[in-house]
Amino acid sequence: SIDPARHDEL
Amino acid sequence: MNIFRLSGDVCHLVAIIILFLKIWRSKSCAGISGKSQLLFALVFTTRYLDLFTAFISIYNTVMKVVFLVLAYATVSLIYFRFRKSYDSESDSFRVEFLLVPVAGLSFLENYSFTPLEILWTFSIYLESVAILPQLFMITKTGEAESITTHYLFFLGLYRTLYLANWVWRYHEEGFFDQIAVVSGVVQTIFYCDFFYLYFTRVLRGSGKMTLP
Protein backbone atom coordinates (compact mmCIF):
# COMPACT_ATOMS: atom_id res chain seq x y z
CA SER A 1 0.00 0.00 0.00
CA ILE A 2 1.07 3.58 -0.27
CA ASP A 3 2.45 5.82 2.42
CA PRO A 4 -0.13 8.59 1.91
CA ALA A 5 2.16 11.33 3.15
CA ARG A 6 4.93 10.49 0.71
CA HIS A 7 3.72 11.67 -2.70
CA ASP A 8 6.96 11.30 -4.59
CA GLU A 9 5.42 11.77 -8.05
CA LEU A 10 4.96 15.13 -9.77
CA MET B 1 12.34 6.62 -10.51
CA ASN B 2 11.83 4.66 -13.74
CA ILE B 3 12.09 5.41 -17.44
CA PHE B 4 8.31 5.65 -17.83
CA ARG B 5 7.93 8.29 -15.14
CA LEU B 6 11.03 10.21 -16.24
CA SER B 7 9.95 10.27 -19.90
CA GLY B 8 6.43 11.12 -18.77
CA ASP B 9 7.69 14.13 -16.82
CA VAL B 10 9.82 15.17 -19.82
CA CYS B 11 6.77 14.94 -22.13
CA HIS B 12 4.82 17.02 -19.63
CA LEU B 13 7.56 19.65 -19.60
CA VAL B 14 7.79 19.59 -23.42
CA ALA B 15 4.02 20.10 -23.69
CA ILE B 16 4.08 23.10 -21.36
CA ILE B 17 7.06 24.61 -23.19
CA ILE B 18 5.44 24.04 -26.61
CA LEU B 19 2.35 25.94 -25.48
CA PHE B 20 4.27 28.76 -23.82
CA LEU B 21 6.52 29.28 -26.85
CA LYS B 22 3.57 29.10 -29.25
CA ILE B 23 1.77 31.91 -27.42
CA TRP B 24 4.96 33.90 -26.86
CA ARG B 25 6.22 33.72 -30.48
CA SER B 26 2.86 34.10 -32.21
CA LYS B 27 1.99 36.85 -29.67
CA SER B 28 -1.47 35.35 -29.62
CA CYS B 29 -3.46 32.86 -27.56
CA ALA B 30 -6.13 32.27 -30.20
CA GLY B 31 -7.56 28.78 -29.91
CA ILE B 32 -6.11 28.32 -26.42
CA SER B 33 -8.43 27.75 -23.46
CA GLY B 34 -7.37 30.12 -20.71
CA LYS B 35 -9.65 28.21 -18.36
CA SER B 36 -7.69 24.98 -18.80
CA GLN B 37 -4.45 26.83 -18.15
CA LEU B 38 -5.95 28.38 -15.00
CA LEU B 39 -7.02 24.92 -13.85
CA PHE B 40 -3.52 23.53 -14.47
CA ALA B 41 -2.00 26.40 -12.48
CA LEU B 42 -4.44 25.53 -9.68
CA VAL B 43 -3.47 21.85 -9.96
CA PHE B 44 0.21 22.65 -9.49
CA THR B 45 -0.48 25.16 -6.70
CA THR B 46 -2.56 22.76 -4.63
CA ARG B 47 -0.29 19.79 -5.32
CA TYR B 48 3.11 21.38 -4.76
CA LEU B 49 2.44 23.01 -1.40
CA ASP B 50 4.73 20.32 0.02
CA LEU B 51 7.59 22.13 -1.69
CA PHE B 52 8.21 23.73 1.68
CA THR B 53 7.44 20.80 3.94
CA ALA B 54 8.74 17.61 2.27
CA PHE B 55 12.01 17.24 0.38
CA ILE B 56 11.88 14.29 -2.04
CA SER B 57 14.84 14.98 -4.34
CA ILE B 58 16.55 17.78 -6.24
CA TYR B 59 14.79 16.62 -9.39
CA ASN B 60 11.38 16.69 -7.68
CA THR B 61 11.92 20.17 -6.26
CA VAL B 62 13.33 21.64 -9.48
CA MET B 63 10.55 20.20 -11.66
CA LYS B 64 7.85 21.48 -9.27
CA VAL B 65 9.29 24.99 -9.41
CA VAL B 66 9.62 24.85 -13.21
CA PHE B 67 6.04 23.63 -13.65
CA LEU B 68 4.68 26.32 -11.32
CA VAL B 69 6.63 29.11 -12.99
CA LEU B 70 5.67 28.04 -16.53
CA ALA B 71 2.02 27.50 -15.59
CA TYR B 72 1.67 30.98 -14.11
CA ALA B 73 3.70 32.53 -16.92
CA THR B 74 1.35 30.96 -19.49
CA VAL B 75 -1.73 32.15 -17.61
CA SER B 76 -0.32 35.66 -17.42
CA LEU B 77 0.37 35.64 -21.18
CA ILE B 78 -3.23 34.64 -21.87
CA TYR B 79 -5.00 36.92 -19.41
CA PHE B 80 -2.70 39.90 -19.41
CA ARG B 81 -0.08 40.31 -22.12
CA PHE B 82 -2.02 38.88 -25.06
CA ARG B 83 -5.50 39.17 -23.59
CA LYS B 84 -6.80 40.89 -26.76
CA SER B 85 -6.31 37.63 -28.66
CA TYR B 86 -8.01 35.56 -25.98
CA ASP B 87 -11.20 34.11 -27.43
CA SER B 88 -13.37 34.11 -24.27
CA GLU B 89 -16.43 33.58 -26.48
CA SER B 90 -15.27 30.08 -27.47
CA ASP B 91 -13.70 29.35 -24.09
CA SER B 92 -17.11 28.94 -22.53
CA PHE B 93 -16.82 25.71 -20.54
CA ARG B 94 -18.49 26.09 -17.13
CA VAL B 95 -15.51 25.25 -14.88
CA GLU B 96 -17.72 25.41 -11.78
CA PHE B 97 -19.18 22.12 -13.02
CA LEU B 98 -15.68 20.70 -12.58
CA LEU B 99 -14.52 22.48 -9.43
CA VAL B 100 -17.54 21.69 -7.23
CA PRO B 101 -17.63 17.89 -7.77
CA VAL B 102 -13.81 17.66 -7.61
CA ALA B 103 -13.73 19.64 -4.35
CA GLY B 104 -16.58 17.56 -2.89
CA LEU B 105 -14.95 14.28 -3.88
CA SER B 106 -11.59 15.31 -2.42
CA PHE B 107 -13.28 15.71 0.97
CA LEU B 108 -14.97 12.33 0.66
CA GLU B 109 -12.25 10.17 -0.87
CA ASN B 110 -8.75 10.87 0.40
CA TYR B 111 -5.91 9.15 2.26
CA SER B 112 -6.10 11.36 5.33
CA PHE B 113 -8.32 14.24 6.34
CA THR B 114 -5.62 16.87 6.68
CA PRO B 115 -5.42 20.17 4.75
CA LEU B 116 -2.31 19.22 2.74
CA GLU B 117 -3.68 15.77 1.90
CA ILE B 118 -7.11 17.07 0.86
CA LEU B 119 -5.47 19.73 -1.33
CA TRP B 120 -3.25 17.05 -2.89
CA THR B 121 -6.31 14.89 -3.56
CA PHE B 122 -8.14 17.91 -5.01
CA SER B 123 -5.20 18.50 -7.38
CA ILE B 124 -5.25 14.85 -8.51
CA TYR B 125 -8.96 14.88 -9.28
CA LEU B 126 -8.77 18.33 -10.86
CA GLU B 127 -5.91 17.37 -13.17
CA SER B 128 -8.02 14.59 -14.68
CA VAL B 129 -10.63 17.10 -15.90
CA ALA B 130 -8.50 20.24 -16.38
CA ILE B 131 -8.06 19.63 -20.14
CA LEU B 132 -11.82 19.48 -20.77
CA PRO B 133 -12.27 23.23 -21.39
CA GLN B 134 -9.53 23.03 -24.04
CA LEU B 135 -11.05 19.97 -25.72
CA PHE B 136 -14.48 21.61 -25.51
CA MET B 137 -13.12 24.78 -27.13
CA ILE B 138 -11.71 22.75 -30.03
CA THR B 139 -15.07 21.05 -30.61
CA LYS B 140 -16.75 24.47 -30.41
CA THR B 141 -14.42 26.18 -32.92
CA GLY B 142 -14.30 22.95 -34.96
CA GLU B 143 -10.55 23.21 -35.44
CA ALA B 144 -7.18 23.45 -33.73
CA GLU B 145 -3.86 24.78 -34.96
CA SER B 146 -1.38 21.96 -35.41
CA ILE B 147 0.96 23.30 -32.70
CA THR B 148 -1.97 23.17 -30.26
CA THR B 149 -2.53 19.55 -31.21
CA HIS B 150 1.15 18.79 -30.59
CA TYR B 151 0.73 20.35 -27.13
CA LEU B 152 -2.23 18.03 -26.47
CA PHE B 153 -0.36 15.05 -27.90
CA PHE B 154 2.55 15.48 -25.47
CA LEU B 155 0.12 15.98 -22.57
CA GLY B 156 -1.67 12.77 -23.53
CA LEU B 157 1.65 10.98 -23.93
CA TYR B 158 2.72 12.11 -20.43
CA ARG B 159 -0.47 10.63 -18.99
CA THR B 160 -0.09 7.39 -20.94
CA LEU B 161 3.52 7.04 -19.76
CA TYR B 162 2.35 7.58 -16.17
CA LEU B 163 0.01 4.59 -16.55
CA ALA B 164 3.03 2.54 -17.63
CA ASN B 165 4.95 3.99 -14.66
CA TRP B 166 2.26 2.75 -12.24
CA VAL B 167 2.25 -0.72 -13.80
CA TRP B 168 6.02 -0.79 -13.46
CA ARG B 169 6.02 0.49 -9.85
CA TYR B 170 3.32 -2.02 -8.85
CA HIS B 171 5.35 -4.84 -10.39
CA GLU B 172 8.72 -3.66 -9.02
CA GLU B 173 7.88 -2.00 -5.69
CA GLY B 174 4.35 -3.13 -4.92
CA PHE B 175 3.55 0.60 -5.06
CA PHE B 176 -0.11 1.37 -5.78
CA ASP B 177 -1.61 4.82 -5.36
CA GLN B 178 -5.31 4.14 -5.94
CA ILE B 179 -6.45 7.78 -6.06
CA ALA B 180 -3.74 8.74 -8.55
CA VAL B 181 -4.26 5.64 -10.69
CA VAL B 182 -8.07 5.84 -10.94
CA SER B 183 -7.91 9.56 -11.63
CA GLY B 184 -5.07 9.05 -14.12
CA VAL B 185 -7.00 6.40 -16.05
CA VAL B 186 -10.02 8.70 -16.32
CA GLN B 187 -7.77 11.54 -17.51
CA THR B 188 -6.08 9.38 -20.14
CA ILE B 189 -9.44 8.22 -21.46
CA PHE B 190 -10.35 11.83 -22.23
CA TYR B 191 -7.37 11.94 -24.60
CA CYS B 192 -8.36 8.83 -26.58
CA ASP B 193 -10.75 10.67 -28.88
CA PHE B 194 -8.14 13.37 -29.43
CA PHE B 195 -5.43 10.77 -30.14
CA TYR B 196 -7.63 9.25 -32.85
CA LEU B 197 -8.10 12.61 -34.54
CA TYR B 198 -4.43 13.45 -34.06
CA PHE B 199 -3.15 10.29 -35.73
CA THR B 200 -5.73 10.26 -38.52
CA ARG B 201 -5.62 13.95 -39.39
CA VAL B 202 -2.75 15.99 -38.07
CA LEU B 203 -0.04 13.42 -38.73
CA ARG B 204 -1.46 12.94 -42.25
CA GLY B 205 0.07 16.35 -42.89
CA SER B 206 -3.25 18.11 -43.08
CA GLY B 207 -1.57 20.68 -40.83
CA LYS B 208 -4.65 21.89 -39.05
CA MET B 209 -6.95 19.51 -37.22
CA THR B 210 -10.52 20.12 -38.33
CA LEU B 211 -13.28 18.22 -36.63
CA PRO B 212 -15.98 16.45 -38.66
Side-chain angles (χ1 to χ4, degrees), chain B residues 95-154:
Chain B
V95 290
E96 54 272 29
F97 292 167
L98 301 176
L99 289 167
V100 173
V102 160
L105 193 62
S106 60
F107 276 94
L108 293 175
E109 186 61 39
N110 53 61
Y111 290 132
S112 68
F113 204 79
T114 61
L116 262 184
E117 195 56 33
I118 287 176
L119 285 169
W120 176 85
T121 310
F122 171 81
S123 82
I124 294 291
Y125 295 150
L126 183 60
E127 189 189 0
S128 57
V129 295
I131 200 62
L132 290 182
Q134 179 66 66
L135 296 178
F136 176 79
M137 185 174 190
I138 289 175
T139 54
K140 196 150 187 259
T141 54
E143 65 177 19
E145 287 179 59
S146 64
I147 194 105
T148 307
T149 62
H150 298 320
Y151 159 70
L152 289 168
F153 170 71
F154 278 101

Side-chain angles (χ1 to χ4, degrees), chain A residues 2 4 6-10, chain B residues 5 60 111 117 165-166 169:
Chain A
I2 173 183
R6 182 169 169 75
H7 300 305
D8 62 349
E9 295 183 342
L10 289 176
Chain B
R5 182 146 61 108
N60 190 274
Y111 290 132
E117 195 56 33
N165 155 61
W166 287 323
R169 291 192 76 179

Side-chain angles (χ1 to χ4, degrees), chain B residues 8 12 17 24 27 30 41 48-49 55 57 65 94 96 107 110 112 120 175 180 182 188 197 209:
Chain B
H12 193 184
I17 290 173
W24 177 261
K27 299 200 178 334
Y48 297 160
L49 294 172
F55 177 75
S57 69
V65 170
R94 307 285 301 278
E96 54 272 29
F107 276 94
N110 53 61
S112 68
W120 176 85
F175 171 92
V182 172
T188 312
L197 289 170
M209 181 172 89

Side-chain angles (χ1 to χ4, degrees), chain B residues 56-76:
Chain B
I56 306 280
S57 69
I58 296 285
Y59 168 81
N60 190 274
T61 303
V62 167
M63 290 295 270
K64 285 177 176 177
V65 170
V66 167
F67 282 172
L68 277 166
V69 166
L70 282 173
Y72 279 100
T74 303
V75 166
S76 69

